[in-house]
Amino acid sequence: VAETTFAKGLEGVIAAESGICQIDGANGRLYYRGYPIEDLAQHSTFDETTYLLLYEELPSREELEDFRQRMREGRELRLPVQDMIRHFPEAGSPMELLQSVIAYLSSTVQHRIRHSATCNCRRTLHQIAQMPTVLATYQRFKEGGGYLESRSDLSEGANFLYLLRGEEPSAEEGRILDTCLVLHAEHGFNASTFTARVVASTFSTCYCSVSAAIGALAGFLHGGANERVMDAMDEIGSKDNVDPWLDRKLAAHEKVMGMGHRVYKAKDPRAVIMEQLLLELSEHRGDRRLYELLKRVEESFGAHMAKEGKPIYPNVDFFSGAVYTMLGIPRYLFTPLFAAARSPGWLAHILEQRKDNRLYRPKALFVGPQPRAYVPLEERAGMASRALV
Ligand SMILES: CC(C)(COP(=O)(O)OP(=O)(O)OC[C@H]1O[C@@H](n2cnc3c(N)ncnc32)[C@H](O)[C@@H]1OP(=O)(O)O)[C@@H](O)C(=O)NCCC(=O)NCCS
């Protein structure tokens, strides 16, 4: 019998081999299939990075053109999906909408996985190509607009902004958002990716796996810190208020959102790039207010934590919310956009899981009641429902 260990939340447990993402937390380095994130951010595009994640190598020119065309053809939403968006409950979250649409799309595909150990997501590309269109269309309908067809001459980032605004963004804005998508495309065995792999390990469809992963990302411990960073910036308001605000937060032992990371113990390399993108956008707009406010929080918080001997650095979420805000993206679309950007990573992990599959089946340490006699209805006190609400 193999020795069994107990690790709450599977912390520190190696559950699979993976060749997709390497994170060097101590030195703040990140690689997708061996390529440094800095190089991908500077030279690649979201569709090319998607190809790299799904096909394991960078594409040739011809391969990229063919792939790009397939991605762009996959963007349009069929009428039933448009109707789903139109009739989605007003109080519903766009994360729930995304989950529903992806699950619905599963029913429109002939799944190879039902007959063999491989799936056809490299061909259909629905989850990657349609998510940004779903989100932009959701926003358009919310504002009383109609369905807008995508522009096949625009990158994923630029097309999203085009759909959202109804007019073409500047080349710089399009490039900046496309780079943000590259930065979020993959990040190892986190909760949503693990969820995707667990579902894929049952040979469920890749759509059902991605839909489940979106559910995992919806919780505030995973997605959503950038929204909270922007809420904090609203609360702080101006640079003069940074120190009193920080003093209050730290005295109350509250976390400063966008700071610290489970894996990175240096500055998150994505935060370094995101900061640069925010600076470019701020210079371009002639408005450095958010940039300067964030830098002031970073400096003051950094100095405070260093004094306590606990160096804590910004993570990717610290600057991304400000970039999205300056691009005119509403706050409630930040996490759904993260889901859209992460879908290539999820699919890469699903494909990898299927290559050498082992059904996930961990065990729990049983701490419940020992076997006991069944109590007849008339003899029960009935306290349980009052204790557990
Ligand atoms: C991500 C996070 C959960 C990692 O937590 P962690 O693994 O416990 O971090 P560390 O072990 O490096 O923390 C070391 C110390 O710094 C403190 N610390 C870490 N992040 C902090 C933050 N954002 N604000 C204030 N203090 C923080 C911890 O409480 C801990 O203090 P202690 O030694 O007195 O208990 C945490 O940093 C956090 O909640 N950050 C804010 C939320 C966020 O931005 N999430 C997005 C992540 S991509």
Side-chain angles (χ1 to χ4, degrees):
V1 183
E3 196 186 321
T4 310
T5 51
F6 173 37
K8 199 167 180 179
L10 300 182
E11 195 163 342
V13 173
I14 295 174
E17 289 175 306
S18 181
I20 302 170
C21 179
Q22 196 182 358
I23 305 172
D24 173 357
N27 297 303
R29 313 288 298 168
L30 167 66
Y31 308 84
Y32 297 168
R33 297 208 183 273
Y35 292 105
I37 193 66
E38 293 79 8
D39 289 353
L40 293 171
Q42 193 180 349
H43 305 294
S44 190
T45 51
F46 183 62
D47 45 19
E48 185 188 76
T49 296
T50 297
Y51 185 103
L52 170 69
L53 291 168
L54 296 186
Y55 288 92
E56 305 178 21
E57 294 295 340
L58 284 169
S60 66
R61 188 179 295 277
E62 212 174 86
E63 285 165 337
L64 180 59
E65 268 163 27
D66 171 64
F67 184 75
R68 187 166 277 167
Q69 195 181 337
R70 275 194 284 132
M71 282 268 282
R72 293 184 185 184
E73 280 169 2
R75 286 171 176 169
E76 294 315 329
L77 306 181
R78 296 178 198 188
L79 275 178
V81 174
Q82 292 181 34
D83 284 343
M84 273 175 85
I85 301 172
R86 205 167 261 123
H87 300 299
F88 201 69
E90 214 163 300
S93 139
M95 289 298 272
E96 290 157 348
L97 172 67
L98 275 187
Q99 245 192 306
S100 320
V101 168
I102 299 301
Y104 168 83
L105 287 174
S106 190
S107 63
T108 67
V109 172
Q110 296 230 318
H111 296 286
R112 213 193 290 157
I113 194 70
R114 302 228 162 104
H115 319 287
S116 72
T118 57
C119 67
N120 27 353
C121 66
R122 282 197 194 92
R123 298 302 309 172
T124 57
L125 296 174
H126 281 138
Q127 290 113 329
I128 306 167
Q130 300 220 334
M131 275 206 236
T133 327
V134 169
L135 297 176
T137 303
Y138 167 81
Q139 184 60 19
R140 293 187 64 74
F141 289 176
K142 214 176 162 65
E143 289 171 358
Y147 182 73
L148 188 61
E149 281 188 15
S150 287
R151 285 260 307 267
S152 61
D153 57 327
L154 296 179
S155 72
E156 297 307 318
N159 186 58
F160 177 76
L161 291 176
Y162 164 68
L163 293 181
L164 201 65
R165 301 174 182 177
E167 57 185 53
E168 189 177 341
S170 71
E172 188 179 35
E173 289 175 319
R175 180 186 52 77
I176 286 176
L177 187 60
D178 206 67
T179 307
C180 292
L181 300 180
V182 169
L183 295 181
H184 285 91
E186 164 56 13
H187 211 238
F189 247 66
N190 50 72
S192 59
T193 302
F194 183 55
T195 303
R197 289 188 74 129
V198 170
V199 179
S201 82
T202 69
F203 280 4
S204 177
T205 74
C206 56
Y207 290 76
C208 292
S209 309
V210 167
S211 175
I214 297 168
L217 187 65
F220 71 87
L221 285 185
H222 193 358
N226 52 4
E227 267 183 67
R228 290 164 176 236
V229 172
M230 293 315 293
D231 292 342
M233 291 310 121
D234 285 350
E235 220 178 286
I236 298 172
S238 73
K239 278 197 283 184
D240 303 340
N241 199 24
V242 167
D243 288 323
W245 179 86
L246 260 179
D247 289 344
R248 275 202 307 278
K249 276 264 160 196
L250 295 168
H253 301 288
E254 282 178 32
K255 290 271 168 67
V256 175
M257 288 295 126
M259 290 289 170
H261 200 277
R262 262 289 140 80
V263 184
Y264 293 115
K265 297 305 166 199
K267 193 163 172 175
D268 178 339
R270 301 165 301 170
V272 176
I273 301 166
M274 201 56 95
E275 177 182 336
Q276 192 53 38
L277 296 178
L278 177 61
L279 181 59
E280 278 174 42
L281 198 54
S282 307
E283 299 285 350
H284 185 64
R285 294 278 173 80
D287 174 7
R288 292 168 57 108
R289 194 190 78 85
L290 272 175
Y291 175 78
E292 284 175 6
L293 194 56
L294 285 161
K295 286 304 287 179
R296 183 67 185 273
V297 174
E298 179 187 357
E299 279 157 23
S300 292
F301 178 75
H304 179 95
M305 296 308 274
K307 227 189 286 163
E308 293 207 351
K310 300 186 230 169
I312 302 281
Y313 306 93
N315 60 54
V316 64
D317 287 323
F318 190 66
F319 295 103
S320 64
V323 172
Y324 296 157
T325 300
M326 292 195 80
L327 288 173
I329 301 171
R331 232 168 256 191
Y332 50 81
L333 289 187
F334 290 0
T335 310
L337 194 58
F338 178 4
R342 183 54 58 83
S343 58
W346 288 332
L347 286 173
H349 278 273
I350 291 166
L351 289 163
E352 186 175 68
Q353 179 65 37
R354 297 211 193 294
K355 273 209 299 203
D356 178 25
N357 190 55
R358 176 106 182 132
L359 177 68
Y360 283 95
R361 182 56 173 98
K363 288 195 286 191
L365 183 67
F366 184 72
V367 294
Q370 289 308 308
R372 50 185 173 163
Y374 179 80
V375 183
L377 184 56
E378 54 278 9
E379 290 173 24
R380 290 176 218 159
M383 296 299 289
S385 64
R386 261 167 279 162
L388 303 173
V389 273

